[in-house]
Amino acid sequence: MRKLGLIVKREYLTRVKTKGFVIGTLAVPLLGLAFCLMIVFLVNHKTESSLRFAIVDNSDGLSQSVVQGLNSKLEDGKPEFVVEQTFVRPADSDAVQTDLRNKINAGTLDAYLLIPAKNTDSFELHMRNPDNFSQIGPLSGALDQSVITQRLSQQGVHVDDLKSVLKGADLKLLKVSDRGEAEEKGQSIGIAIALVVLLYTSLLMYGIITMRSVIEEKTTRTMEVLISAVRPFELLAGKILGVAAAAFTQFAIWMTSTALLFSYGALAAMGMGGKSMLSGVHVPPSLILYATLFFFGGYFLYSAMFAAVGAACSNEQDAQQLQWLAMGPLVFCMIIYSVILNDPSSKMAVILSEIPFFAPVLMSLRISLQTPPLWQIALSLGLLVLTTIVMIWLSAKIYRVGVLMYGKRPSLIEMARWLRYS
Amino acid sequence: MDAITLEKVSKSYDSVAAVSNVSVRVRQGSIFGLLGPNGAGKTTTIRMIMHILVADEGSIKVLDKPVSDETRDLIGYLPEERGLYPRMKVRDIIVFLAALHGLTEAEAGRRADQWLDKLGLGEWKSKKLVDLSKGMQQKVQFITSVIHEPPVMILDEPFSGLDPVNSATIEEIIMEMKGKGATIVLSSHRMDQIERMCDAICLINKGQNILDGDIRSIKESYGKNTVQFEFTGPDTFLKSPSIEKLTRLGNGAEAKLKPGADSQEVLRAALQAGANITKFELMYPTLNEIFIERTTRA
């Protein structure tokens, strides 16, 4: 136990003291803050200058109602759209259009709108930059409204307040759970996806860190010195626990800063005039508890697998070929998760989430969407713990043989044979 | 009491026998040379003594205890495949390994400082290992294997990469440890050093113990069959039919005589040929000679 403690301590300190760790740990919250601020800025940002445009109206006066609909204002109070000229049923439409195109190229005009004779034909907007969606949106809306009004009145329907008639039904989504009902605003899916991504990336990232650390001891030939002092199992366990301690330190810092960011970030967002996107997001404590349990199980399972891969390889190149063994199940989770998102209690979802290699990600996902029966959670967790213990035992065997093997990358058959060596 | 006993030990990897039926005894308080060509099975033997590998057959004892994770702490081990965490500080790494071998961190720190000063590395203690020269790294490695003052030490090629001055320092330290009662197993390809330092040897070839015992009695069993000359002048006498094998040296030659040949005959022939003999010594074969002869014999 004393030796295990020494190994954990060394692994932890050498990791936490690196520049990479300090920078990474601080940079993520800062980048997150910058990202939030940027989104808030972009959401609130509108085009600065008015769109100067002309209308070539081949219909019988539709341009009037279009112009009336274009009443949106810029932040500084100026109108967003300025109609410079209107040509109603010009004699030579082509000549007028050529002239307008010249003006656009000369920069004295931004665009011109061509209204067809019949409102069932296409309208055309000619401009230098047709990808400017923020301006095309309101213009297109005004066109829709004018055309619909015109058609209705052509059929003899008189509509004073079109908006009130066309207003759609308001559908509220309510999530039923054993704690009663709560209004669903899409946050369950948001939390679920965030959880899947978080579990996937952290299991993968720390697994690979563990693998690299084993390979480093092999390439620097530190291994034999170490295993002349400690048992390979102690070395393996110490490494996994040491990396885990560093990982949780980083996580704790990230979580704390994210919590601060959420509260201050939401305030900042509201201060800048945007609606807080985060209000109403509520993560149930039971989900945090379960996700943590599954994360721990998954962490030890995958770390043991990655450590075994590292022990079997002599260098990073070999490891890149062999690491799919450990990465495969995780990648599969990312491919399959949308199926479970659609129907979290389907037979396939239940079966997949009971398989220990998928359980950390997929069972957490199911819990976040629709809490499954307790027995399913307990069974999944139980199987995960059992598999993890077996995997650590197997990895320790591969580790014991592999750490002293240099040279050719072993085949899977050779690795299986290592398990028989005492 | 024997410090290390191997009794009919065998170990194979899949179908390849790395060590077969090896029995060796290492007397306590002696320096023991473990010799053999590359790939002979020395490293496998050492790893079994360290309980890093487990023998398929036979028994291994260290200070009369069957090898286990516990006996490992009785042995200081300098492996041939060596290296240390390159980005750790010199003193930290010594303290870490000493603590793994059971010292308290305070005691480990005190001894680390002593050793670093003794080997002239005092001012390097807070440098990272990568910043040290290869020879200095070797010395750090040596410190890590002896700092916990184990009763038994296994040093695999302790002199490789060291210049003559450092090599002499390490040799001195090894003799000092022997003086304090430690048992040292030395594996080296430098036969002159083995010959000078060891009391007994074991020669392993192709996984088998082909020769073992006290160096003196091994040499005596060969008899004084080797003549070393130093001379100037003609060397035609070296073609004498009494000489079985000839090795040219810088200012002379070493000649192994045929069984039953008279060394005085060779000397007379040399003088007759007009050579000016400055040294003529009849001696036992060198360990180097014995090594080559025994390992290249069909």
Side-chain angles (χ1 to χ4, degrees):
Chain A
M1 273 319 271
R2 200 183 90 90
K3 289 181 175 181
L4 182 67
L6 286 164
I7 303 227
V8 173
K9 184 176 152 196
R10 196 205 76 86
E11 285 290 334
Y12 178 75
L13 289 179
T14 45
R15 243 147 265 290
V16 171
K17 278 185 188 165
T18 59
K19 280 194 198 98
F21 183 89
V22 175
I23 294 169
T25 308
L26 296 179
V28 166
L30 288 177
L31 279 177
L33 180 65
F35 190 64
C36 280
L37 289 178
M38 202 173 76
I39 286 180
V40 168
F41 174 73
L42 286 178
V43 164
N44 294 321
H45 180 75
K46 285 200 182 134
T47 334
E48 306 280 311
S49 59
S50 313
L51 185 82
R52 301 160 301 162
F53 75 115
I55 299 177
V56 180
D57 188 356
N58 290 326
S59 72
D60 46 359
L62 192 61
S63 55
Q64 270 190 347
S65 61
V66 173
V67 172
Q68 278 168 14
L70 291 173
N71 50 10
S72 52
K73 294 270 196 289
L74 291 175
E75 269 176 58
D76 53 7
K78 287 187 194 147
E80 194 172 359
F81 299 95
V82 176
V83 181
E84 305 247 312
Q85 280 172 298
T86 307
F87 303 90
V88 182
R89 284 192 294 278
D92 187 350
S93 176
D94 287 346
V96 169
Q97 288 192 53
T98 312
D99 183 43
L100 289 173
R101 272 196 289 272
N102 288 338
K103 282 187 177 169
I104 291 174
N105 280 328
T108 53
L109 195 69
D110 294 318
Y112 74 88
L113 177 70
L114 180 68
I115 298 177
K118 282 196 292 182
N119 66 23
T120 47
D121 289 343
S122 294
F123 290 66
E124 290 173 12
L125 183 65
H126 298 248
M127 62 197 299
R128 284 177 83 93
N129 178 17
D131 301 321
N132 190 345
F133 293 109
S134 67
Q135 286 182 318
I136 294 170
L139 187 63
S140 169
L143 286 178
D144 286 346
Q145 221 169 61
S146 313
V147 171
I148 291 168
T149 313
Q150 195 185 42
R151 284 184 199 142
L152 287 171
S153 64
Q154 275 167 359
Q155 291 181 16
V157 181
H158 183 73
V159 182
D160 280 333
D161 192 355
L162 201 58
K163 279 182 192 161
S164 67
V165 173
L166 291 180
K167 188 176 181 293
D170 183 24
L171 180 66
K172 259 191 198 174
L173 302 172
L174 294 153
K175 176 174 174 166
V176 179
S177 68
D178 49 11
R179 289 219 192 94
E181 287 184 322
E183 193 171 341
E184 170 68 52
K185 290 175 182 160
Q187 74 265 41
S188 277
I189 299 248
I191 291 172
I193 293 176
L195 191 67
V196 166
V197 172
L198 189 71
L199 284 170
Y200 170 78
T201 42
S202 48
L203 289 178
L204 195 61
M205 184 167 78
Y206 290 110
I208 287 177
I209 289 178
T210 310
M211 181 182 81
R212 287 231 174 101
S213 142
V214 175
I215 294 175
E216 196 207 358
E217 274 165 12
K218 283 188 76 174
T219 51
T220 59
R221 312 270 157 160
T222 313
M223 197 56 93
E224 191 156 357
V225 176
L226 290 175
I227 56 172
S228 69
V230 293
R231 284 180 295 146
F233 182 78
E234 285 172 309
L235 195 57
L236 175 69
K239 191 166 282 297
I240 292 175
L241 289 173
V243 174
F248 296 138
T249 304
Q250 195 164 46
F251 250 75
I253 294 171
W254 283 353
M255 287 303 154
T256 317
S257 54
T258 310
L260 290 175
L261 203 67
F262 265 44
S263 36
Y264 286 104
L267 284 177
M270 282 188 285
M272 288 177 73
K275 276 182 222 150
S276 171
M277 292 171 289
L278 304 166
S279 62
V281 172
H282 168 69
V283 183
S286 64
L287 176 60
I288 296 178
L289 176 72
Y290 283 132
T292 309
L293 284 177
F294 277 98
F295 175 72
F296 270 100
Y299 176 81
F300 289 118
L301 178 64
Y302 278 99
S303 292
M305 283 164 72
F306 274 107
V309 168
C313 300
S314 314
N315 54 54
E316 295 242 354
Q317 284 77 19
D318 284 351
Q320 270 163 14
Q321 291 171 32
L322 208 59
Q323 71 187 15
W324 60 264
L325 271 181
M327 277 172 69
L330 273 177
V331 174
F332 178 78
C333 290
M334 286 308 275
I335 297 170
I336 204 78
Y337 90 93
S338 58
V339 176
I340 289 173
L341 209 58
N342 285 338
D343 188 357
S345 44
S346 68
K347 198 178 257 175
M348 185 163 86
V350 173
I351 292 172
L352 286 176
S353 63
E354 293 296 332
I355 297 173
F357 295 98
F358 309 138
V361 174
L362 298 186
M363 186 52 96
S364 305
L365 173 65
R366 284 186 62 205
I367 295 171
S368 75
L369 292 168
Q370 192 184 71
T371 309
L374 191 62
W375 70 265
Q376 287 184 5
I377 302 180
L379 179 64
S380 170
L381 201 57
L383 287 175
L384 176 62
V385 170
L386 269 179
T387 313
T388 302
I389 292 169
V390 172
M391 184 53 69
I392 290 178
W393 178 77
L394 283 177
S395 289
K397 287 219 134 197
I398 290 183
Y399 200 83
R400 179 165 188 139
V401 180
V403 289
L404 291 176
M405 293 272 177
Y406 289 97
K408 195 172 74 70
R409 181 172 66 81
S411 67
L412 291 183
I413 298 167
E414 280 171 304
M415 281 172 74
R417 216 177 285 145
W418 289 1
L419 299 178
R420 291 209 313 266
Y421 292 163
S422 45
Chain B
M1 186 171 66
D2 289 327
I4 300 172
T5 325
L6 274 77
E7 201 111 28
K8 294 178 179 163
V9 172
S10 297
K11 172 85 188 170
S12 47
Y13 300 107
D14 298 324
S15 56
V16 183
V19 171
S20 46
N21 207 24
V22 166
S23 298
V24 173
R25 287 171 181 280
V26 178
R27 215 170 44 243
Q28 205 176 0
S30 69
I31 299 185
F32 187 89
L34 186 62
L35 314 179
N38 297 322
K42 282 176 302 188
T43 303
T44 302
T45 307
I46 291 174
R47 284 178 178 170
M48 287 190 288
I49 299 171
M50 289 308 298
H51 199 56
I52 291 171
L53 294 174
V54 179
D56 298 337
E57 282 167 50
S59 77
I60 303 175
K61 285 181 182 169
V62 173
L63 295 171
D64 267 353
K65 294 182 194 111
V67 282
S68 65
D69 291 330
E70 281 66 46
T71 55
R72 206 156 27 204
D73 282 335
L74 300 172
I75 311 173
Y77 177 38
L78 178 69
E80 192 188 2
E81 291 280 7
R82 52 184 166 246
L84 295 168
Y85 295 109
R87 278 178 291 279
M88 257 180 108
K89 287 179 185 160
V90 170
R91 188 177 186 274
D92 291 350
I93 202 163
I94 296 174
V95 170
F96 170 65
L97 286 168
L100 279 186
H101 281 296
L103 298 187
T104 63
E105 287 191 50
E107 175 64 13
R110 203 180 55 75
R111 289 197 200 175
D113 290 336
Q114 271 176 8
W115 274 101
L116 285 167
D117 286 337
K118 188 170 180 175
L119 291 181
L121 292 169
E123 55 195 292
W124 295 87
K125 63 174 86 169
S126 45
K127 291 268 192 291
K128 286 180 183 169
L129 204 75
V130 278
D131 299 329
L132 269 60
S133 73
K134 195 167 174 245
M136 289 192 241
Q137 292 186 16
Q138 283 282 66
K139 289 198 277 184
V140 173
Q141 193 101 42
F142 181 81
I143 296 175
T144 62
S145 53
V146 298
I147 188 167
H148 53 299
E149 294 175 2
V152 179
M153 271 166 255
I154 300 179
L155 309 175
D156 200 348
E157 292 289 350
F159 307 108
S160 75
L162 293 180
D163 63 32
V165 177
N166 281 319
S167 189
T169 312
I170 297 292
E171 190 176 321
E172 213 172 280
I173 291 170
I174 294 174
M175 298 312 282
E176 213 174 90
M177 292 189 300
K178 181 194 175 185
K180 287 182 187 165
T183 309
I184 295 124
V185 175
L186 209 57
S187 178
S188 174
H189 289 303
R190 289 177 53 181
M191 293 301 143
D192 55 327
Q193 224 149 6
I194 294 280
E195 197 159 348
R196 195 164 57 236
M197 297 174 70
C198 293
D199 303 295
I201 59 146
C202 165
L203 178 57
I204 294 183
N205 192 28
K206 293 176 185 156
Q208 285 171 321
N209 175 357
I210 55 170
L211 180 70
D212 73 325
D214 284 353
I215 290 188
R216 183 179 308 207
S217 49
I218 288 174
K219 291 177 107 175
E220 278 171 4
S221 74
Y222 275 78
K224 290 196 169 181
N225 66 347
T226 304
V227 177
Q228 211 175 59
F229 300 98
E230 277 176 19
F231 65 93
T232 54
D235 61 357
T236 45
F237 68 94
L238 291 173
K239 288 178 187 134
S240 155
S242 308
I243 295 174
E244 183 183 300
K245 191 173 164 242
L246 189 73
T247 314
R248 295 277 188 163
L249 303 173
N251 48 359
E254 198 177 283
K256 188 184 167 200
L257 303 181
K258 282 186 181 161
D262 182 3
S263 59
Q264 296 307 310
E265 198 96 350
V266 177
L267 179 59
R268 242 173 273 133
L271 292 168
Q272 268 167 18
N276 177 26
I277 307 285
T278 53
K279 181 183 172 188
F280 177 85
E281 188 184 356
L282 184 60
M283 48 180 229
Y284 293 115
T286 58
L287 204 52
N288 202 43
E289 196 80 18
I290 295 172
F291 181 96
I292 294 170
E293 194 216 294
R294 296 302 294 258
T295 55
T296 53
R297 196 188 274 172

